[in-house]
């Protein structure tokens, strides 16, 4: 196993900071709430940032960085969405989404590694599968959480239906931003290869 | 903004504050597991007394504790109400707008909400009485055995400390950038959805640039000062377990033993 360089560590530390900001982006852009089907869904950039972490840091370091983000949140730093923190956030309905960011980052990094060279297509695949895996784990976790320790009986189907607006939002957002930032990401990943 | 940066920590000089952070983390993880073993009125009451007593021991004003709980009141009440209407066991107590509320539903609703309340109250005691730096140190020492399987524990702790230091800085930076872009005419508030999302891009690009620049400068500065990983490093703050911590853990073990005694 390759030892991490200092620059790897500082980069992943700053990705933790970016995750913290991305989770609460509506704090700085308060009117960025997307109306879907009459419900106003507040935007968070967590999915996008974890995909970006996968693309820039590579699969292993990105997963490691997101793991650090979760631990920091557990340690009581308000880095989760709505400035929440603490271990109970992971036990709540949406804890699975947080846990799945590790897999999302890893998967995005993996796809970028397999699909060389770096093209729009590989970026599209990375964001698409990253977001889908995010919801697959998140919703399944929500279903399990509700039916076991929350003591509520909700069908798997119903939990999916309730999360569909969010899925559309996150899918659209991460695809849109990765494309809008395509040239930036491309240059960043080149820059990163030079260093790391 | 400044209140979030500090986090939830409330400085005081109570017994709970002075406990070793590792002891606190271990006890809280055990509590999280054992709360699910409570299954009757007596065992719930026992745990509630213990959790409230611990909260009082911290000498933190109640309004701070209530403030920490504020984002989850909704969850607790929501769970309670959902249970009222979903569960149908026991006898019918009242009929409300065509819904029947059963006695079993009331009992289960109270039990589950109480379980949530206990979990959240007790876990928030950790973050109320311990600084994030202390918790990071404690996590590093607690995870130390993982070094055997080549898990980079020191690197993880370092990463967390760095981000702890730079989260406030980057938040200020975000605020500055959003103001700077607004003064150049970027409109975050109005317009069709597409334009509003597009407006995120001029915010993100300078933010990324600034973050990565800082990351590189920091790595350079660390290496210039001879940083070379976890081997043989000494630390500024050493964690020591003293008699007080053993006593606290003993008392906690007795509480858990009591829980199993009351369970049946």
């Amino acid at each position: 196993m390759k030892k991490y360089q200092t620059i790897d560590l500082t980069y992943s530390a700053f990705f933790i900071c970016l995750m913290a900001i991305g989770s609460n982006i509506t704090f700085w852009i308060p009117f960025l709430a997307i109306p879907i089907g009459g419900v106003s869904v507040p935007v968070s950039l967590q999915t996008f940032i974890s995909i970006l972490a996968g693309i820039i840091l590579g699969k292993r370091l990105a997963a490691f960085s997101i793991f650090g983000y979760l631990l920091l949140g557990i340690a009581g730093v308000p880095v989760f969405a709505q400035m929440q923190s603490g271990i109970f956030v992971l036990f709540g309905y949406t804890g699975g989404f947080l846990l799945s960011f590790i897999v999302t980052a890893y998967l995005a990094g993996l796809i970028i590694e397999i699909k060389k060279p770096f093209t729009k297509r590989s970026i599209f695949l990375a964001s698409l599968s990253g977001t889908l895996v995010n919801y697959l784990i998140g919703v399944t976790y929500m279903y399990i959480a509700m039916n076991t320790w929350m003591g509520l009986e909700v069908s798997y189907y119903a939990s999916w239906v309730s999360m569909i607006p969010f899925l559309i939002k996150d899918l659209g957002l991460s695809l849109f931003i990765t494309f809008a930032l395509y040239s930036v990401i491309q240059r960043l990943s080149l820059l990163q290869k030079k260093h790391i | 903004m400044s209140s979030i940066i500090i986090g939830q920590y409330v400085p005081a000089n109570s017994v709970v504050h002075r406990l070793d952070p590792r002891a606190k983390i271990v006890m809280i993880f055990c509590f999280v597991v054992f709360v699910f073993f409570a299954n009757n009125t007596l065992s719930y009451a026992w745990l509630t007394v213990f959790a409230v007593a611990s909260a009082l021991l911290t000498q933190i004003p109640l309004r701070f504790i209530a403030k920490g709980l504020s984002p989850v009141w909704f969850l607790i009440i929501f769970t309670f109400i959902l249970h009222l209407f979903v569960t149908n066991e026991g006898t019918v107590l009242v009929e409300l707008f065509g819904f029947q509320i059963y006695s079993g539903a009331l009992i289960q609703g109270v039990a589950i909400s109480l379980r949530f309340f206990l979990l959240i109250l007790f876990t928030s005691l950790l973050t109320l009485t311990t600084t994030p730096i202390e918790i990071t140190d404690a996590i590093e020492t607690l995870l130390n055995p993982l070094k055997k399987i080549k898990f980079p524990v020191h690197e993880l702790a370092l990463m967390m400390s760095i981000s702890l230091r730079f989260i406030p800085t980057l938040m200020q930076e975000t605020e500055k950038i959003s103001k700077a872009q607004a003064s150049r005419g970027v409109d975050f508030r109005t317009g069709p959805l597409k334009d509003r999302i597009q407006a995120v891009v001029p915010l993100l690009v300078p933010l990324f640039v600034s973050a990565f620049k800082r990351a590189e400068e920091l790595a350079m500065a660390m290496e210039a000062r001879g940083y070379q990983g976890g081997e043989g490093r000494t630390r500024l703050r050493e964690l020591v377990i003293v008699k007080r911590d053993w006593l606290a853990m003993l008392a906690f073990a007795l509480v858990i033993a009591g829980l199993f005694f009351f369970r049946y």
Side-chain angles (χ1 to χ4, degrees):
Chain A
M1 216 179 200
K2 194 185 111 223
K3 226 179 144 236
Y4 290 129
Q5 307 283 311
T6 317
I7 187 127
D8 297 340
L9 296 177
T10 52
Y11 258 88
S12 28
F14 275 88
F15 261 98
I16 297 181
C17 303
L18 289 176
M19 272 302 269
I21 290 170
S23 320
N24 296 298
I25 193 75
T26 40
F27 195 89
W28 293 279
I29 317 175
F31 295 92
L32 198 75
I34 298 181
I36 298 168
V39 199
S40 174
V41 184
V43 165
S44 94
L45 299 178
Q46 283 165 307
T47 321
F48 163 68
I49 304 259
S50 46
I51 291 166
L52 189 70
I55 295 173
I56 291 178
L57 299 177
K59 53 182 189 205
R60 204 160 62 95
L61 196 58
F64 188 53
S65 165
I66 306 289
F67 180 64
Y69 165 74
L70 295 186
L71 274 187
L72 204 63
I74 292 172
V77 189
V79 291
F80 297 148
Q82 277 113 48
M83 296 288 174
Q84 285 189 344
S85 64
I87 182 87
F88 60 82
V89 179
L90 292 185
F91 287 109
Y93 300 94
T94 52
F97 288 95
L98 284 170
L99 291 173
S100 75
F101 287 133
I102 299 178
V103 187
T104 301
Y106 189 88
L107 192 71
L110 187 72
I111 288 172
I112 292 296
E113 259 165 56
I114 295 170
K115 288 260 166 204
K116 278 177 181 165
F118 194 81
T119 54
K120 282 204 170 178
R121 209 168 140 238
S122 57
I123 261 203
F124 173 78
L125 261 176
S127 344
L128 185 72
S129 47
T131 316
L132 285 182
V133 117
N134 180 214
Y135 273 81
L136 202 64
I137 297 176
V139 175
T140 311
Y141 184 92
M142 191 170 88
Y143 166 71
I144 296 171
M146 281 188 169
N147 284 284
T148 51
W149 59 86
M150 303 251 183
L152 295 171
E153 273 171 31
V154 179
S155 71
Y156 195 50
Y157 178 73
S159 20
W160 268 105
V161 168
S162 65
M163 294 313 285
I164 289 282
F166 296 94
L167 175 62
I168 296 172
K169 173 212 81 175
D170 266 332
L171 205 56
L173 200 68
S174 47
L175 286 180
F176 181 86
I177 300 180
T178 32
F179 277 108
L181 291 180
Y182 173 68
S183 54
V184 181
I185 295 170
Q186 196 179 27
R187 264 173 248 164
L188 276 175
S189 68
L190 286 178
L191 167 109
Q192 175 262 343
K193 295 246 159 49
K194 208 170 66 193
H195 281 293
I196 300 179
Chain B
M1 199 66 216
S2 52
S3 68
I4 335 165
I5 291 163
I6 301 158
Q8 294 177 309
Y9 177 67
V10 183
N13 195 20
S14 72
V15 185
V16 186
H17 279 78
R18 276 175 284 151
L19 276 184
D20 189 282
R22 286 170 294 177
K24 282 192 261 189
I25 290 179
V26 168
M27 285 191 274
I28 278 163
F29 270 83
C30 293
F31 188 84
V32 166
V33 174
F34 284 116
V35 155
F36 292 96
F37 284 91
N39 60 357
N40 56 11
T41 320
L42 208 56
S43 50
Y44 269 115
W46 173 251
L47 286 182
T48 313
V49 167
F50 170 64
V52 170
S54 322
L56 290 178
L57 264 183
T58 60
Q59 293 174 5
I60 292 173
L62 279 180
R63 64 196 164 88
F64 281 107
I65 299 179
K67 208 177 126 207
L69 293 179
S70 60
V72 286
W73 278 124
F74 168 75
L75 189 70
I76 294 176
I77 293 165
F78 177 72
T79 319
F80 178 69
I81 293 174
L82 213 57
H83 268 282
L84 273 191
F85 291 109
V86 172
T87 316
N88 22 6
E89 285 162 26
T91 51
V92 180
L93 289 180
V94 258
E95 267 206 52
L96 217 69
F97 313 115
F99 283 105
Q100 283 134 355
I101 294 181
Y102 293 86
S103 62
L106 196 65
I107 293 169
Q108 206 180 358
V110 169
I112 304 265
S113 327
L114 186 64
R115 180 194 288 170
F116 259 110
F117 174 73
L118 286 178
L119 275 177
I120 292 159
L121 175 67
F122 205 73
T123 50
S124 66
L125 288 187
L126 174 73
T127 46
L128 282 168
T129 62
T130 326
T131 56
I133 284 279
E134 276 182 311
I135 301 180
T136 313
D137 282 351
I139 288 178
E140 181 176 2
T141 20
L142 281 175
L143 291 182
N144 252 342
L146 289 182
K147 271 188 185 156
K148 290 233 167 62
I149 56 162
K150 295 272 169 66
F151 185 81
V153 176
H154 164 76
E155 281 80 358
L156 183 70
L158 179 80
M159 205 167 81
M160 285 165 68
S161 313
I162 294 177
S163 46
L164 210 54
R165 158 69 183 77
F166 280 101
I167 284 172
T169 317
L170 273 198
M171 282 184 171
Q172 283 165 1
E173 196 97 7
T174 316
E175 185 143 7
K176 220 159 75 184
I177 293 168
S178 73
K179 279 181 183 154
Q181 298 294 36
S183 73
R184 290 188 181 91
V186 175
D187 190 1
F188 296 118
R189 289 159 195 240
T190 52
L193 190 62
K194 194 173 153 286
D195 291 357
R196 264 191 287 170
I197 300 179
Q198 202 120 42
V200 183
V201 176
L203 181 77
L204 286 185
V205 173
L207 184 65
F208 287 158
V209 170
S210 132
F212 297 145
K213 215 168 115 190
R214 277 175 201 276
E216 301 209 353
E217 282 169 3
L218 182 67
M220 199 94 81
M222 281 166 70
E223 276 178 358
R225 284 163 180 77
Y227 171 78
Q228 47 179 351
E231 282 306 307
R233 274 175 75 83
T234 51
R235 29 175 65 252
L236 177 62
R237 298 171 300 269
E238 290 278 357
L239 295 175
V240 234
I241 294 254
V242 291
K243 209 167 120 197
R244 184 173 52 221
D245 304 312
W246 288 118
L247 280 178
M249 283 195 274
L250 183 70
F252 181 74
L254 286 179
V255 169
I256 297 303
L259 168 72
F260 279 92
F261 179 71
F262 288 130
R263 235 186 115 202
Y264 297 109

